Amino acid sequence: MRDFSADIKDLQRRLDEASSYLTIDDTRERLAVLEAEIADPALWDDQNRAKQLNAEYADLKDDLTVFDGLTDQIADLDVLHELARDEDDETQEPEIESTVTAVSAELDRLELRSLFTGEHDDSDCIVQINAKDGGVDAQDFAEMLLRMYERWCERRGFSINLNGVSEGQEAGIMSAEVTISGRYADGLMTAERGTHRLVRIGPFDNQGRRQTSFAAVQVWPMLDDADDELDDADIRMEVFRASGAGGQHVNKTSSAVRLIHEPTGLVASSQEERSQLQNRERAMARLTAMIAAKAEEDRQAELDSIAGKQARVGWGSQIRSYVMQPYQMVKDLRTEIETSNVSGVLDGDIDEFVEGYLQWRRAQGDDDAD
């Protein structure tokens, strides 16, 4: 009978670490408070607060359910292992081994939570994709990235809502803005912030030459408490027809709204509603959140500068290359993670890159602390 003692001991060690980064004791106390607040019928007099508390409760309840389930699994596994060893029952080995593998995989997913250290990592986020150098090829690439994130959201069970899109001159898109909703959406999508580079035989080049094009991705947390009023004199509004990527018009009236904040150059859009007024309100809420997030980033950058910290790879920096010809490769230039499965990545299989970035970011922070 194989001895699994070391495997089970390691699983227990990882679970104990999870108890720390999930703050399990604090979570149990907070859940008790939330249960009392949610049970109060008067809570729904303030619907926004009610929604926030219910969302917090659901997230914390999920953490506890997963943690308690793993606790029970490891305890049962330990008992089964001891009984099998006492009786030298080799027939139990396959079940013990499969359980060790399953629990380890669940802990792998749980340990991703420990990588979220940002204040707004658990927020929804606004994502903007802009075609850069490369003409029509870059516009096509921008649409490819939009599709990649749509597929990625489907894989993770996140919702993705198209706020606005500017179609390309011949193909693809000039720009797009989406809101991604799901737990840790902002924390995960920070891995995508920066400039993406595509190398391929240009489908729009009659001479079949290899083309290099670029698209930029920016990510902003959707801050619920971003309630600072903006000066209308600083905001320029543009209206346009709502449409989907690829030229599929949503409606035939110019009800979609794009707001440009002149002092910062930030832009927010909305085309979800049929009413121009409602779209303006939605766009204004996003713009306010983006400006608040930028103010936080600027303050942190100033503190980092005073502390002498090196700037991270981020907005305006090339982060990843997608090479389709003369060979197949996607490579992250920060983490050195790469794969030859370009089609899989462009179909939304980007978790390896996202999680690799989060691990790299934590390692960079550890290096700063040394």
Side-chain angles (χ1 to χ4, degrees):
M1 168 66 193
R2 176 184 162 189
D3 186 358
F4 289 90
S5 299
D7 301 278
I8 296 172
K9 184 177 180 180
D10 186 58
L11 293 178
Q12 186 61 54
R13 175 192 61 79
R14 294 171 65 188
L15 185 66
D16 292 341
E17 290 177 356
S19 177
S20 176
Y21 60 72
L22 291 175
T23 60
I24 291 298
D25 291 341
D26 292 343
T27 295
R28 294 191 194 280
E29 292 179 7
R30 178 61 179 159
L31 269 180
V33 172
L34 287 172
E35 285 172 352
E37 293 191 41
I38 290 172
D40 182 1
L43 173 65
W44 287 97
D45 293 341
D46 184 345
Q47 293 204 3
N48 287 333
R49 176 170 167 74
K51 290 177 181 177
Q52 290 174 3
L53 291 184
N54 275 278
E56 182 185 0
Y57 178 83
D59 288 341
L60 295 181
K61 186 70 173 177
D62 179 61
D63 286 347
L64 275 185
T65 298
V66 172
F67 180 84
D68 290 342
L70 286 170
T71 300
D72 291 342
Q73 280 186 281
I74 293 174
D76 292 345
L77 180 63
D78 193 33
V79 170
L80 177 61
H81 177 246
E82 287 300 319
L83 288 173
R85 288 194 67 198
D86 288 345
E87 299 177 8
D88 196 23
D89 185 358
E90 295 182 356
T91 63
Q92 297 296 326
E93 279 192 28
E95 180 178 351
I96 294 172
E97 185 172 15
S98 65
T99 303
V100 166
T101 300
V103 171
S104 180
E106 186 64 35
L107 283 166
D108 286 343
R109 289 188 287 273
L110 200 60
E111 283 163 357
L112 182 61
R113 310 270 183 93
S114 69
L115 302 177
F116 296 117
T117 56
E119 181 181 357
H120 307 298
D121 279 351
D122 61 346
S123 302
D124 297 343
C125 63
I126 302 165
V127 179
Q128 293 181 342
I129 304 168
N130 290 280
K132 294 297 184 182
D133 296 340
V136 179
D137 214 56
Q139 295 164 28
D140 189 50
F141 183 34
E143 187 170 28
M144 291 163 65
L145 289 178
L146 175 59
R147 180 183 181 277
M148 181 177 79
Y149 295 135
E150 289 173 339
R151 295 293 186 270
W152 177 72
C153 286
E154 289 175 6
R155 289 168 179 260
R156 294 198 71 92
F158 287 176
S159 66
I160 180 168
N161 187 68
L162 184 65
N163 304 332
V165 62
S166 176
E167 296 171 22
Q169 297 170 349
E170 297 178 34
I173 58 174
M174 293 290 294
S175 64
E177 179 188 301
V178 299
T179 298
I180 296 178
S181 301
R183 195 175 186 192
Y184 299 114
D186 182 68
L188 292 164
M189 280 300 298
T190 55
E192 300 303 297
R193 180 188 294 157
T195 301
H196 298 241
R197 170 177 173 261
L198 174 68
V199 180
R200 63 175 175 175
I201 302 299
F204 308 101
D205 187 295
N206 293 332
Q207 299 179 38
R209 294 171 295 187
R210 191 170 64 174
Q211 301 288 328
T212 300
S213 55
F214 300 86
V217 176
Q218 181 59 302
V219 181
W220 307 95
M222 190 64 194
L223 305 181
D224 293 328
D225 56 353
D227 54 3
D228 294 338
E229 290 191 11
L230 303 180
D231 188 341
D232 286 341
D234 291 336
I235 299 172
R236 174 162 51 90
M237 185 175 84
E238 297 177 352
V239 296
F240 57 98
R241 288 186 178 182
S243 62
Q248 184 177 14
H249 290 284
V250 176
N251 62 53
K252 297 181 180 180
T253 61
S254 297
S255 61
V257 170
R258 182 182 298 113
L259 300 180
I260 301 97
H261 187 243
E262 300 284 6
T264 61
L266 294 175
V267 180
S269 304
S270 176
Q271 65 174 39
E272 302 101 300
E273 307 293 343
R274 291 189 175 275
S275 160
Q276 188 180 108
L277 179 61
Q278 289 175 316
N279 278 327
R280 187 182 189 283
E281 290 175 353
R282 283 183 176 267
M284 183 65 77
R286 293 179 186 126
L287 186 61
T288 304
M290 291 162 65
I291 291 170
K294 185 178 188 304
E296 286 191 15
E297 287 182 4
D298 290 345
R299 282 194 296 270
Q300 187 60 50
E302 183 177 358
L303 291 172
D304 288 348
S305 176
I306 294 170
K309 290 184 178 180
Q310 292 184 341
R312 295 281 186 265
V313 175
W315 175 244
S317 301
Q318 187 176 314
I319 64 164
R320 191 177 303 146
S321 289
Y322 306 72
V323 181
M324 303 180 76
Q325 282 98 13
Y327 53 88
Q328 298 267 311
M329 184 184 72
V330 179
K331 182 175 182 178
D332 194 287
L333 305 181
R334 303 158 298 184
T335 65
E336 302 295 320
I337 292 173
E338 62 181 67
T339 178
S340 60
N341 186 15
V342 180
S343 61
V345 170
L346 291 173
D347 198 41
D349 187 8
I350 61 173
D351 281 339
E352 182 181 9
F353 292 100
V354 170
E355 293 172 18
Y357 166 79
L358 294 173
Q359 292 165 351
W360 173 84
R361 183 178 67 174
R362 181 169 68 177
Q364 297 293 106
D366 292 343
D367 288 346
D368 285 345
D370 291 341

